[in-house]
Amino acid sequence: MKAPHPPLDGITVLTLEQAVSAPLCTRHLADLGARVIKIEHPAGGDSARHYDGAVRGLAAHFVWLNHGKESVALDLGVAEDRALFTGLLELTDVVVSNLAPGALGRLGLSPAGLVEEHPRLIVVDISGYGTGGPLDHKRAYDLLVQSEGGSCAITGRPGEPAKSGIPIADVGTALYAFSAVLTALYDRERTGRGTVVSVAMLDVIGEMMGFALNQVLHAGAEPEPVGMGSPMVAPYGAYPTADGHTVVLGTTSDREWRRLASDLLCRPDLAADPRFVRNADRVRLRDELDAVLRAWCAERDLADIQRRADEAGIGNARLNGVRDLARHPQLADRKRWREVDSPVGGVPALLPPVISPDWNVRAGRVPALGADTDAVRAEVAAATGCTPETQPSPATTRRESRR
Amino acid sequence: MKAPHPPLDGITVLTLEQAVSAPLCTRHLADLGARVIKIEHPAGGDSARHYDGAVRGLAAHFVWLNHGKESVALDLGVAEDRALFTGLLELTDVVVSNLAPGALGRLGLSPAGLVEEHPRLIVVDISGYGTGGPLDHKRAYDLLVQSEGGSCAITGRPGEPAKSGIPIADVGTALYAFSAVLTALYDRERTGRGTVVSVAMLDVIGEMMGFALNQVLHAGAEPEPVGMGSPMVAPYGAYPTADGHTVVLGTTSDREWRRLASDLLCRPDLAADPRFVRNADRVRLRDELDAVLRAWCAERDLADIQRRADEAGIGNARLNGVRDLARHPQLADRKRWREVDSPVGGVPALLPPVISPDWNVRAGRVPALGADTDAVRAEVAAATGCTPETQPSPATTRRESRR
């Protein structure tokens, strides 16, 4: 056995990021052991710092997405700060950005130009709608891309579309960007060269909508949202129980339907009823079957229903709130919680979802804005062989000329 | 410049998969150039083949998730097929599985055992709830894990929870598994060794709920679903337009609110109203502001609203259906559609979301069940230096003894 190690040890990531997509991508790089240096504007930094003050004054989103990173406060429009950024690039393997459309270009940091100058560099450019097309430069917040991408239309109830509570356009984009960095690192091991990778949020939603697109492209019917049900199978849904909980259960196949009817509901008549034998018919008669399940569940306690469903081999779950997830025994018993440090002290955080006995997870602190600026400045000065105070360099010259 | 190439060229993936999570993971590996051999039971294969017949007789989900793979029909309980599988393992870099809990073990294929026997092998083991804890062996379909993980409780409307139409537990798990393979491939380049990686769907939802967990853990209040709105900011929502569309727009900051009120609505009185200056107050008075926006949008056409919102620097989108996504100009203009082959002829498919000028995307066909069984059988026979017909090997001996 090799000793457990952080697989991205030795990799340095420079990130020009805000909000959710790039920050989640780079947090997972930090989890795997990369050094992540978050460049923030000195005037307020990442906008997510100010979403709320839920975590003893820190923002819930910011704490979720930024532990394990360093924060360096730089105004890239100012020569001295720009020189530090340029120096940092020499130490960098990966640049990630999700700034507003055109912002990188206005800073004179075109992804292609960066890689031309630094052939081993990997640059990941996250955008809302990609390059070209009528929406090219449009603002792209999660809800906007969920709406544009059609995913709200298959969520909620008919006539009452809803966004996914999980910011799926942001989170999905983060995970594709994360995979892009990993692919490029692997490729660099074999070719010796970096690359530019682009990920657009609309393309991410498009990918995730692949099943619904196929239904529309070929079968023609616009899918309807079905609340807690499934458009594909029936019966399947959320049913209140006698003890005030809600159970979610249903069938995914004709065979499961027969088990559900005969073994769980003790209704061999339903299992044998030719009207319900085929899933397509059950989907059509969804309301009738929902009423049967609703009545059956209303007379029983949650634990009783779940035990019986398990015995009958019928998938089931409890409809949980966020508080239930926070104290879910399946997370606690498997020791999925840890503590990370922050400017307001230790805060709980879940371990990342990918587990290997051979890999360590790095637990780092949530950085205050600019917490690492001085240290990184000194480090770059040392690495470039000159301290700004004693030895003029092109960088310091530009800074001086600006004063 | 290096020539465009598929970055995972030369990597072989063996996948024991069904439904969505593992198939999406391995499809992305195929997109990047890996050879993906999908092992399916001869009696029906992947259950997703039978979800519907939307794509000229093929299932919408199956077509979405399986192009670019080979299908080899094997019953791993039968000695001859098991021998072929064992032979295939010798040619394999990565094994992915999302079979039912315990299924791998019953086949004598423990992930740790596989890596012990093949030290360069990477094994990714996808489960619903991980190892240990009260839900260890429970069935885990997407809706069940969305329910158990609390994400339905923040989707929909108060008292009417809803699942995300995109199967976010499945899709998110696919993307974490995909990143796990890429991390392990990179690590293998540096250490020479493979590993076992586990990904549990509940942990994936837990990660994606990080912001909501922080709100509950620290601020105490259970978040409520807000339909098409945002729990964090207001006004923000979906509003019907005069020409029968629905526009989605809103503000993400106090500064944007002032722009929205004064520049878009031409209501400097609202922009100056102290009741609405702070986002926290606007969230509390959400209904009042929604009514203003609703009335304003109801008198204008979609295109007019979007043009004015763009000019005012206010994010906006059209609430699209799936059909709108299928013909979205932002996908068409950027040439995001291609054709892939299938047993029913060419079918449209979106390109994957990660784009690099240095990487080719492999376009492969959707395989019929067992389409590649004979070819792979011959290939393994050749690779192991014996053809079953002429030269007995331990594998063929086992097969013979069973007859």
Side-chain angles (χ1 to χ4, degrees), chain B residues 299-349:
Chain B
E299 291 175 1
R300 288 162 180 84
D301 286 354
L302 175 72
D304 184 37
I305 295 169
Q306 291 206 270
R307 185 182 49 74
R308 288 172 189 239
D310 282 343
E311 285 169 10
I314 296 298
N316 61 88
R318 183 178 168 205
L319 184 63
N320 278 330
V322 182
R323 193 183 308 269
D324 301 314
L325 178 64
R327 52 193 179 201
H328 203 299
Q330 193 64 16
L331 298 177
D333 289 8
R334 291 167 52 245
K335 305 193 191 319
R336 298 292 299 156
W337 290 97
R338 56 171 165 168
E339 192 174 270
V340 297
D341 197 14
S342 85
V344 297
V347 291

Side-chain angles (χ1 to χ4, degrees), chain A residues 2 34 37 40 71 336 338:
Chain A
K2 60 192 171 193
I37 302 173
E40 299 187 80
S71 168
R336 298 293 298 155
R338 56 173 165 168

Side-chain angles (χ1 to χ4, degrees), chain B residues 178-352:
Chain B
F178 179 40
S179 78
V181 171
L182 295 165
T183 304
L185 283 172
Y186 172 71
D187 195 49
R188 193 178 74 167
E189 289 295 307
R190 307 215 290 185
T191 66
R193 302 183 69 92
T195 189
V196 174
V197 195
S198 312
V199 184
M201 293 167 71
L202 183 68
D203 295 344
V204 168
I205 291 288
E207 175 67 71
M208 294 175 164
M209 294 285 287
F211 65 102
L213 283 169
N214 278 345
Q215 285 157 354
V216 158
L217 286 168
H218 300 277
E222 180 80 21
E224 286 259 297
V226 287
M228 284 294 294
S230 158
M232 304 293 300
V233 292
Y236 209 153
Y239 310 100
T241 66
D243 55 344
H245 297 289
T246 301
V247 69
V248 179
L249 53 77
T251 65
T252 61
S253 67
D254 296 339
R255 203 173 48 188
E256 276 193 14
W257 158 248
R258 290 192 297 274
R259 279 210 306 272
L260 184 145
S262 59
D263 300 356
L264 183 61
L265 306 182
C266 302
R267 289 286 302 274
D269 59 312
L270 282 182
D273 191 328
R275 291 196 309 145
F276 300 133
V277 167
R278 289 175 50 243
N279 179 59
D281 292 328
R282 293 195 302 277
V283 168
R284 202 165 35 81
L285 302 167
R286 182 194 304 276
D287 291 347
E288 192 174 334
L289 293 170
D290 267 348
V292 172
L293 273 169
R294 187 174 304 275
W296 188 84
C297 291
E299 291 175 1
R300 288 162 180 84
D301 286 354
L302 175 72
D304 184 37
I305 295 169
Q306 291 206 270
R307 185 182 49 74
R308 288 172 189 239
D310 282 343
E311 285 169 10
I314 296 298
N316 61 88
R318 183 178 168 205
L319 184 63
N320 278 330
V322 182
R323 193 183 308 269
D324 301 314
L325 178 64
R327 52 193 179 201
H328 203 299
Q330 193 64 16
L331 298 177
D333 289 8
R334 291 167 52 245
K335 305 193 191 319
R336 298 292 299 156
W337 290 97
R338 56 171 165 168
E339 192 174 270
V340 297
D341 197 14
S342 85
V344 297
V347 291
L350 282 171
L351 285 161

Side-chain angles (χ1 to χ4, degrees), chain A residues 111-170:
Chain A
L114 284 171
V115 173
E116 204 168 320
E117 225 168 296
H118 307 274
R120 284 180 59 83
L121 193 66
I122 293 157
V123 180
V124 178
D125 184 18
I126 295 174
S127 70
Y129 296 107
T131 303
L135 305 190
D136 186 338
H137 270 59
K138 222 167 158 74
R139 273 159 203 263
Y141 305 132
D142 176 81
L143 171 59
L144 301 176
V145 180
Q146 285 197 41
S147 301
E148 201 72 46
S151 63
C152 296
I154 59 168
T155 304
R157 287 161 189 265
E160 294 190 348
K163 63 161 283 195
S164 159
I166 288 175
I168 188 170
D170 277 339

Side-chain angles (χ1 to χ4, degrees), chain B residues 7-289:
Chain B
L8 297 191
D9 194 27
I11 296 297
T12 298
V13 180
L14 209 55
T15 177
L16 298 157
E17 65 180 22
Q18 57 183 346
V20 177
S21 62
L24 179 58
C25 165
T26 61
R27 208 211 79 205
H28 283 315
L29 295 171
D31 291 337
L32 294 175
R35 178 186 185 188
V36 176
I37 303 173
K38 183 179 175 96
I39 307 296
E40 299 187 79
H41 196 285
D46 183 344
S47 55
R49 288 184 179 274
H50 312 288
Y51 283 178
D52 59 31
V55 183
R56 303 202 291 272
L58 303 180
H61 282 77
F62 191 82
V63 169
W64 168 39
L65 297 169
N66 290 286
H67 49 78
K69 304 179 188 177
E70 300 170 32
S71 169
V72 173
L74 295 182
D75 180 348
L76 296 180
V78 170
E80 183 184 12
D81 286 1
R82 183 55 178 266
L84 179 61
F85 182 82
T86 305
L88 259 179
L89 274 177
E90 301 292 333
L91 314 176
T92 294
D93 300 280
V94 179
V95 172
V96 177
S97 163
N98 72 333
L99 300 187
L104 271 191
R106 284 193 297 275
L107 289 167
L109 294 170
S110 90
L114 285 171
V115 174
E116 203 168 321
E117 226 169 296
H118 307 274
R120 283 180 58 84
L121 194 65
I122 293 157
V123 180
V124 178
D125 182 19
I126 295 173
S127 71
Y129 296 107
T131 303
L135 306 190
D136 187 338
H137 270 58
K138 223 169 158 72
R139 274 159 200 263
Y141 305 132
D142 176 82
L143 171 58
L144 301 177
V145 180
Q146 285 197 41
S147 301
E148 201 72 47
S151 63
C152 297
I154 60 168
T155 304
R157 288 161 189 265
E160 294 190 348
K163 63 161 283 193
S164 160
I166 288 175
I168 189 173
D170 277 339
V171 166
T173 300
L175 295 179
Y176 278 105
F178 179 40
S179 78
V181 171
L182 295 165
T183 304
L185 283 172
Y186 172 71
D187 195 49
R188 193 178 74 167
E189 289 295 307
R190 307 215 290 185
T191 66
R193 302 183 69 92
T195 189
V196 174
V197 195
S198 312
V199 184
M201 293 167 71
L202 183 68
D203 295 344
V204 168
I205 291 288
E207 175 67 71
M208 294 175 164
M209 294 285 287
F211 65 102
L213 283 169
N214 278 345
Q215 285 157 354
V216 158
L217 286 168
H218 300 277
E222 180 80 21
E224 286 259 297
V226 287
M228 284 294 294
S230 158
M232 304 293 300
V233 292
Y236 209 153
Y239 310 100
T241 66
D243 55 344
H245 297 289
T246 301
V247 69
V248 179
L249 53 77
T251 65
T252 61
S253 67
D254 296 339
R255 203 173 48 188
E256 276 193 14
W257 158 248
R258 290 192 297 274
R259 279 210 306 272
L260 184 145
S262 59
D263 300 356
L264 183 61
L265 306 182
C266 302
R267 289 286 302 274
D269 59 312
L270 282 182
D273 191 328
R275 291 196 309 145
F276 300 133
V277 167
R278 289 175 50 243
N279 179 59
D281 292 328
R282 293 195 302 277
V283 168
R284 202 165 35 81
L285 302 167
R286 182 194 304 276
D287 291 347
E288 192 174 334
L289 293 170

Side-chain angles (χ1 to χ4, degrees), chain A residues 56 67 336-342 345-351 363-364:
Chain A
R56 302 201 293 271
H67 49 77
R336 298 293 298 155
W337 290 97
R338 56 173 165 168
E339 193 175 271
V340 297
D341 198 13
S342 86
V347 291
L350 282 172
L351 285 160

